[in-house]
Structures are given as structure tokens and as C-alpha cells.
Amino acid sequence: MFIMERHEKILKLLEEHESLSVKELSDELGYSPATIRSDLNDLNKQNLLIRTHGGAVVKEADSTNKQLKEDFGYRTQHNQIEKVAIAKKALTYIEDRMSIFLDASSSSFELAKLLSHSEMRLTILTNGLHSAQLLKDNSNVTTILIGGTVKGNSNATEGLMGAGILNNLNIDCAFLSAQAFDLQNGMTDFSLYEVELKKKVVEKVHTVYGLLDHSKFEQSSVASFASADQISVLITDHRLDRQTIEQYAKYGLNVVQTSVSSKNKQKS
């Protein structure tokens, strides 16, 4: 395979998967990790992809693609298998009679699906419309929807109009996702309205759980709402590369990965 053909194959794979590690590309194409790294660096210089620590992500073609990624309907489908696994792991940290906060992310929505059938007695605060809709039918759960403005295809109530309730409740923990994460900027997101609410939540709760699939790492978005030091446990899927995990461990960040499902094992 010539270099040009290999580059075209890499770009095609990224279009299909949106993010891939050097190891995944090396295994798929049958070339050494050193060759793949060189290819990714060349493609990054040509502005054809975004180089990340340990791999690459697809470059957004235009503002329409960006808007699509901000759409909740799209996000619920993107990396859904990984998000379901992350939600199942997050559920193990929740105990009876807890008071918790769920943000409006698609990862927290997967956790809300599990909690909607839970027999635990819980108080759940959320700014997620779909999560509140699910949880209200569970008689064991007291659901509090934080008020605000609703617009477009967003799942979130925006603004701080209902945030005062955070001062009146003792909230045990929060489950938060983000558009991106790195050690320098922490958890970052594109919605300034949601960022302001999440900042207040992080300041209020005792424990912060980050729910992030592998595609979110070593990137940064518009505004930060939680530093790496403020995250108690970072829950991610099995596809986050070992080098990044070790880097975070040296920093002192507690990272918990989901296990590889039998379905994924069969594919590999």
C-alpha cells in the first residue's frame, strides 16, 4: 500500500469511527505504530484531521457538522455502546437514599434509563428534560427539574433561574459529562449556560463523577467547569489507551474503565 493510499484509508476509517488510537489504526492497517504516528502527523499538518495524544479524531468539516454534534438526538447515538457501559459502571456508585445530580448529557441520560427502573429511594436533580421525563414515572425517585430556558434541539434547561435550589439541598454526588477533557483545562463544554450551572454543582456536591467516553480525551472546548483536581472518579470505556491512563494515574486522577463486552471481543 502506497503512502497516499494509506492516508486515504486512515481518513476513511476516521470518518466511520470519528476517533481512533494509533494501536487501532496499526492493527487495522497492518503497519507499525511508528509508521501510523508519522502518517497522522503528516495528515495533521495538512489540516485533514486533529492529532490527539495517542491517536486522532476526525476534523469537523463545517459548522453544520458542529451543530449536529450539539444536537441531543445525535449525541444519544454517538458511541452509545460505550456510554451504556459507562452508565452501568456509574450505577455501582449510587446507594439507597442518596441525593444526586445528573447533567443533561447523553451519558447521564443512559444512567437515567437505569435509574428509572431502580428500587433505590433517591432524590435526583437534573437540568436534562429527557432524564426528568423518564425518572418521573419511578415512584421511588423524587425528581427535581432545574428550571431555565429551553430552545432548539437541546435536552437542557439553560440558565441559572432554578439553580438556587442547590443551596437548599445536601447533594451527595454529581454525574457530569463534557465535550472534552485534558489535565490542563479539566472538563470543558461548548454551552456557556450549562457550564455556569455545572460550576455551581461542582462547588456544592461532595463527590464528582466524570462520565466520558474515549473520544472526549486530550481535547478542549470553550469553557471549563471542573478542574482535574475536582473530579473524584473519572469513568470511561475500555477504548481509552493505556498511555493516557498511566499519564492520568501519575497526576493522581482516579480513572475507572469499563470492561470489554463479549460483543466487542468477538469483533476483535
Side-chain angles (χ1 to χ4, degrees):
M1 187 185 297
F2 294 107
I3 294 177
M4 185 68 70
E5 293 176 312
R6 194 167 65 243
H7 284 186
E8 289 178 357
K9 182 64 175 177
I10 289 172
L11 293 174
K12 184 177 180 180
L13 287 169
L14 279 174
E15 284 181 6
E16 295 173 358
H17 299 280
E18 298 209 23
S19 69
L20 288 167
S21 68
V22 169
K23 184 179 184 306
E24 287 171 327
L25 286 168
S26 177
D27 291 344
E28 178 69 24
L29 299 176
Y31 284 84
S32 70
T35 298
I36 297 299
R37 289 190 191 96
S38 177
D39 289 338
L40 294 181
N41 290 335
D42 289 342
L43 291 167
N44 183 62
K45 290 177 183 177
Q46 297 175 52
N47 206 30
L48 295 174
L49 55 73
I50 300 174
R51 187 76 164 91
T52 63
H53 182 78
V57 298
V58 68
K59 185 173 180 60
E60 292 182 355
D62 50 35
S63 59
T64 300
N65 194 23
K66 182 176 185 296
Q67 290 171 1
L68 181 64
K69 289 194 173 187
E70 294 176 4
D71 178 81
F72 184 73
Y74 170 84
R75 289 187 286 122
T76 57
Q77 300 301 316
H78 180 58
N79 287 338
Q80 187 188 28
I81 293 174
E82 288 84 353
K83 290 173 183 176
V84 169
I86 289 170
K88 288 179 179 179
K89 178 66 70 174
L91 184 64
T92 65
Y93 291 94
I94 300 176
E95 299 177 358
D96 189 46
R97 297 185 181 276
M98 271 189 169
S99 175
I100 68 176
F101 178 89
L102 300 181
D103 68 6
S105 67
S106 54
S107 295
S108 289
F109 180 58
E110 293 297 337
L111 179 54
K113 288 180 183 179
L114 300 176
L115 293 172
S116 68
H117 301 291
S118 173
E119 295 184 359
M120 290 185 287
R121 289 160 291 181
L122 301 168
T123 298
I124 301 179
L125 293 85
T126 184
N127 68 319
L129 298 173
H130 292 286
S131 292
Q133 183 71 23
L134 268 179
L135 294 166
K136 71 179 180 60
D137 293 326
N138 186 339
S139 60
N140 294 313
V141 174
T142 299
T143 306
I144 301 173
L145 177 63
I146 295 178
T149 303
V150 180
K151 63 179 182 179
N153 294 322
S154 173
N155 169 54
T157 58
E158 296 183 347
L160 300 175
M161 287 186 285
I165 195 171
L166 297 173
N167 299 321
N168 301 322
L169 295 174
N170 182 30
I171 307 172
D172 295 299
C173 57
F175 294 88
L176 307 174
S177 190
Q179 182 74 6
F181 174 85
D182 62 20
L183 290 178
Q184 181 177 355
N185 300 293
M187 296 178 77
T188 55
D189 222 321
F190 55 82
S191 171
L192 296 179
Y193 296 104
E194 287 192 70
V195 162
E196 288 305 311
L197 175 61
K198 289 181 181 181
K199 278 183 180 179
K200 290 186 176 296
V201 170
V202 170
E203 293 170 0
K204 173 66 179 175
V205 303
H206 299 295
T207 307
V208 175
Y209 295 95
L211 310 181
L212 299 170
D213 70 68
H214 67 281
S215 68
K216 307 289 186 68
F217 289 91
E218 296 306 299
Q219 301 181 63
S220 180
S221 190
V222 177
S224 174
F225 62 85
S227 67
D229 295 331
Q230 291 175 306
I231 302 169
S232 306
V233 181
L234 194 53
I235 305 173
T236 187
D237 61 81
H238 69 278
R239 292 179 62 187
L240 184 61
D241 64 276
R242 179 53 50 187
Q243 186 177 359
T244 301
I245 293 287
E246 292 174 354
Q247 176 190 359
Y248 293 166
K250 289 179 181 178
Y251 181 85
L253 189 58
N254 184 11
V255 180
V256 175
Q257 282 185 287
T258 62
S259 58
V260 182
S261 68
S262 58
K263 182 178 180 180
N264 286 329
K265 285 180 179 178
Q266 291 171 2
K267 288 182 178 180
S268 61

